[in-house]
């Protein structure tokens, strides 16, 4: 990569890390950026996944106060995220690259729809009472597992999917649920990254730039993300996502 491209990838990493901490759609920033610079889709996805791991970890650290009292919940759902992330990563590596390139535009557009629905999901969560913090039983565990599979395979709007599940099955404070979301997303990205490091073709320069940027962005998002204009942020994500879908369909 040239110097300007490296700067662009790093800046995209900062934006993605911040978005993942608050909304959960950072891949819709970094993945299209790598595609724009000529990276093959699977290499871009693998490198992007690896680079975003430090960002999800820094976001989880930023929400550490909201994680108090959630150890049992995180242990229970963490196993589902671990298994799902492993399955998704293996699917990415086992299925033909053409299959990934064919399905990703649909996944991106689906993620954009979920981002647009985020205000409704947030209102649903905010309107729920905080009593009776039950963890949704087997349906919730299976939902987290399925989200993990999706996250290990691609991952855009993985956090939005998790928050949708939380809004359906759980009763708790929104910020506490967002903290749990960040931990589960870091588990999915982490286990997928281990698989990719072992057997996949990674562009280490791109992954490193995204890692540096997403680490900074995750901390910024956890600290200041609640103050950003949500409408402008969602609009930006959707524009980038739709553009990425069009670019991939034209390849």
């Amino acid at each position: 990569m040239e110097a300007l491209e490296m700067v662009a990838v790093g800046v995209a990493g900062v934006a993605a890390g911040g978005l993942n901490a608050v909304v959960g759609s950072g891949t819709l920033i970094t993945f299209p950026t790598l595609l724009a610079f000529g990276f093959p889709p699977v290499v871009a996805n693998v490198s992007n996944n690896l680079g975003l791991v430090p960002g999800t970890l820094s976001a989880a650290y930023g929400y550490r106060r909201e994680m108090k009292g959630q150890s049992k919940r995180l242990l229970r759902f963490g196993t589902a995220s671990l298994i799902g992330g492993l399955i998704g990563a293996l699917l990415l590596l086992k299925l033909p690259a053409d299959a990934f390139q064919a399905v990703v535009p649909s996944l991106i557009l689906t993620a954009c729809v979920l981002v647009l629905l985020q205000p409704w999901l947030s209102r649903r969560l905010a309107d729920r009472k905080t009593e009776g913090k039950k963890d949704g039983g087997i349906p919730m565990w299976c939902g987290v597992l399925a989200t993990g599979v999706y996250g290990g395979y691609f991952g855009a709007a993985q956090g939005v999917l998790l928050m949708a599940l939380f809004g359906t099955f759980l009763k708790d404070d929104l910020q506490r649920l967002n903290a749990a979301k960040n931990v589960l997303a870091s588990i999915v990205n982490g286990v997928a990254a281990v698989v990719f490091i072992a057997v996949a073709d990674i562009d280490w320069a791109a992954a490193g730039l995204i890692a540096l940027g997403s680490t900074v962005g995750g901390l910024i998002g956890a600290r200041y993300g609640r103050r950003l204009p949500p409408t402008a942020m969602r609009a930006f994500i959707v524009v980038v996502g739709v553009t990425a879908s069009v670019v991939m369909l034209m390849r």
Side-chain angles (χ1 to χ4, degrees):
M1 289 185 290
E2 297 180 358
L4 288 178
E5 293 178 344
M6 295 175 68
V7 171
V9 172
V11 171
V14 174
L19 289 172
N20 279 339
V22 182
V23 181
S25 308
T27 291
L28 292 180
I29 304 298
T30 44
F31 181 70
T33 300
L34 295 179
L35 290 181
F37 293 141
F39 286 82
V42 174
V43 174
N45 187 48
V46 167
S47 305
N48 174 67
N49 178 285
L50 181 60
L52 289 178
V53 170
T56 55
L57 290 173
S58 67
Y61 176 78
Y63 275 89
R64 62 193 180 279
R65 286 179 296 181
E66 287 84 356
M67 284 190 286
K68 291 181 179 179
Q70 298 199 72
S71 57
K72 290 184 179 179
R73 172 182 290 169
L74 294 176
L75 180 62
R76 181 166 182 260
F77 294 144
T79 59
S81 293
L82 182 69
I83 296 169
L86 179 60
I87 294 172
L90 293 175
L91 285 174
L92 177 66
L93 297 177
K94 293 295 183 181
L95 294 177
D98 290 345
F100 177 79
Q101 187 161 349
V103 75
V104 161
S106 298
L107 294 177
I108 293 176
L109 291 174
T110 300
C112 290
V113 172
L114 289 171
V115 171
L116 289 174
L117 291 175
Q118 183 69 20
W120 177 82
L121 296 173
S122 296
R123 286 195 299 271
R124 181 188 176 102
L125 281 167
D127 290 342
R128 298 189 65 141
K129 298 180 180 180
T130 58
E131 296 89 3
K133 301 172 186 176
K134 298 181 180 179
D135 279 349
I138 293 176
M140 179 65 184
W141 193 92
C142 292
V144 174
L145 174 69
T147 303
V149 174
Y150 171 78
Y153 186 78
F154 182 51
Q158 174 188 184
V160 177
L161 288 171
L162 284 171
M163 292 302 286
L165 283 171
F166 290 164
T168 302
F169 292 103
L170 304 185
K171 296 181 181 180
D172 205 343
D173 177 73
L174 178 61
Q175 296 303 332
R176 281 170 52 82
L177 293 176
N178 197 49
K181 176 264 291 180
N182 286 334
V183 173
L184 297 181
S186 68
I187 292 173
V188 171
N189 289 351
V191 68
V194 170
V195 174
F196 296 152
I197 289 172
V199 297
D201 184 13
I202 299 170
D203 189 293
W204 289 99
L209 290 168
I210 293 173
L212 289 173
S214 68
T215 301
V216 175
L219 292 172
I220 294 173
R223 185 175 179 86
Y224 301 108
R226 304 177 186 90
R227 305 176 189 177
L228 296 176
T231 302
M233 188 164 59
R234 278 189 294 273
F236 179 65
I237 294 170
V238 170
V239 169
V240 171
V242 171
T243 301
S245 298
V246 172
V247 169
M248 291 199 70
L249 288 171
M250 294 177 62
R251 280 173 173 261

